[in-house]
Amino acid sequence: MLLKLRCVLTDHCGCHLEEELVKTGPDSDIDRPDIAQPLCTAVQISLVNLLRTWGIAPDNVIGHSSGEFAAAYSANAMSMDTAIILAYTRGKVAQMAPEGGMLAVGVGRDEVGQYLASEVELACENSPNSVTLAGSRDQLEHVATRIQNEQPDTLLKMLPVERAYHSGESFVTHTDRFNANWFSGFMASVGAEYEELTRLHLVNHHENMAPMYSTVTGTVITNPSELDPAYWRRSLESPVFFSTAFQNLASSTQNKHQVVIEIGPNSALRGPIQQILRSISMSFTYCATMRSNESN
């Protein structure tokens, strides 16, 4: 299976999976979106396939940001090749977007609204107590300073990315949309091109799929045709409503004890998942397939 993924990556992006995965330090290109996004998707797909050999298949799936590619594959809504290619093309167009940044903030969606400024948008609703903002780096630093001064105990972390993902439209001033100070947001500037590239490569399965709770809309998808090029463009440009979608997923299970398996190279969503499920008093067991800097 790794050989198959390597062939897909080589054919479409000129990189070899194994070679990129073992690179370290200055030799690694993992900070490049066109490398990081297909590699992360490849790791996730490998884990999905491993779980399948053990007889473990999902009742429901959910993906955070580009994690929706592997989620769609896990749900049997998309082929392995398609997931890898869409992840790569997303990374390529992201490189063409204006440079920006992202800031993780330990407050909820409603509370963070007062801190949104020019060129800063809500990018991810991670949990009832966690969001991510996107925008220009200098404005994000200004917002971080303001939050630190007003709420010094708030968790703040500037993410190690050079793009403002999930930023659709930004306003230099909070006045009229048609004011001369309005401009197209960071990811919106490349959204149309990504939609066209997606249209060229998207091949959905036309079979039964596991329910996939969309973090673009917050609602459930049960038909692969809904995952069309326009959907994947929205996934790039729009905020990630992970908390809303996950709560909807949990509420659909009729309060049964849930086993939540996070599929990825680290347990990045452990905190948000626990916060969401505890906020609705859901009984659950959380499992991470991999953790950073651990060999087992």
Side-chain angles (χ1 to χ4, degrees):
M1 202 283 299
L2 281 176
L3 178 62
K4 172 64 172 175
L5 286 176
R6 183 184 68 185
C7 292
V8 173
L9 285 173
T10 302
D11 291 345
H12 292 275
C13 53
C15 66
H16 292 274
L17 177 63
E18 293 95 335
E19 293 175 7
E20 295 296 336
L21 284 175
V22 299
K23 288 181 180 178
T24 59
D27 293 330
S28 175
D29 292 317
I30 197 64
D31 290 334
R32 284 174 44 184
D34 63 325
I35 299 295
Q37 296 201 27
L39 282 188
C40 186
T41 302
V43 169
Q44 291 172 320
I45 287 174
S46 298
L47 292 168
V48 168
N49 289 344
L50 177 62
L51 291 173
R52 284 176 177 171
T53 67
W54 295 343
I56 300 174
D59 293 322
N60 302 281
V61 302
I62 187 170
H64 189 290
S65 189
S66 59
E68 285 204 306
F69 298 126
Y73 170 73
S74 178
N76 199 41
M78 179 180 292
S79 71
M80 180 175 67
D81 288 16
T82 299
I84 291 290
I85 294 168
L86 295 192
Y88 168 68
T89 53
R90 175 180 162 127
K92 287 295 289 184
V93 299
Q95 280 191 300
M96 297 185 289
E99 290 192 4
M102 302 188 79
L103 174 69
V105 185
V107 300
R109 177 182 173 184
D110 293 337
E111 187 176 357
V112 82
Q114 62 183 305
Y115 297 110
L116 298 184
S118 60
E119 296 185 53
V120 174
E121 300 179 63
L122 175 70
C124 307
E125 175 206 48
N126 301 313
S127 79
N129 306 310
S130 172
V131 299
T132 305
L133 306 181
S136 65
R137 188 165 290 271
D138 59 340
Q139 288 292 327
L140 288 172
E141 290 173 350
H142 176 76
V143 169
T145 299
R146 182 183 167 196
I147 295 175
Q148 190 172 43
N149 290 337
E150 296 180 10
Q151 301 187 48
D153 295 331
T154 301
L155 173 66
L156 296 167
K157 181 180 180 181
M158 196 71 74
L159 302 185
V161 297
E162 297 180 352
R163 296 295 184 271
Y165 293 98
H166 307 293
S167 54
E169 294 178 347
S170 296
F171 297 83
V172 176
T173 61
H174 291 282
T175 55
D176 187 345
R177 174 185 176 90
F178 300 101
N179 186 286
N181 290 324
W182 176 83
F183 69 98
S184 180
F186 294 84
M187 288 299 129
S189 67
V190 295
E193 182 160 359
Y194 182 56
E195 183 175 357
E196 184 58 31
L197 287 171
T198 301
R199 197 180 309 280
L200 295 174
H201 298 293
L202 183 61
V203 179
N204 283 324
H205 282 186
H206 296 287
E207 305 172 7
N208 292 331
M209 63 175 286
M212 173 176 162
Y213 282 78
S214 166
T215 50
V216 176
T217 65
T219 58
V220 64
I221 292 174
T222 57
N223 189 331
S225 65
E226 295 181 57
L227 300 173
D228 59 11
Y231 178 88
W232 295 114
R233 176 180 178 176
R234 291 179 64 192
S235 176
L236 176 69
E237 296 177 344
S238 304
V240 177
F241 295 113
F242 183 78
S243 184
T244 296
F246 207 106
Q247 288 185 52
N248 288 337
L249 187 161
S251 65
S252 71
T253 62
Q254 300 178 338
N255 293 320
K256 295 179 181 178
H257 182 90
Q258 296 301 300
V259 177
V260 181
I261 302 176
E262 181 172 357
I263 296 173
N266 57 53
S267 54
L269 293 172
R270 177 179 181 177
I273 288 170
Q274 291 176 334
Q275 291 173 4
I276 294 167
L277 295 178
R278 286 170 180 163
S279 73
I280 58 176
S281 301
M282 174 68 71
S283 174
F284 68 95
T285 299
Y286 168 87
C287 302
T289 47
M290 298 181 71
R291 292 187 173 88
S292 298
N293 302 313
E294 292 187 13
S295 59
N296 55 13

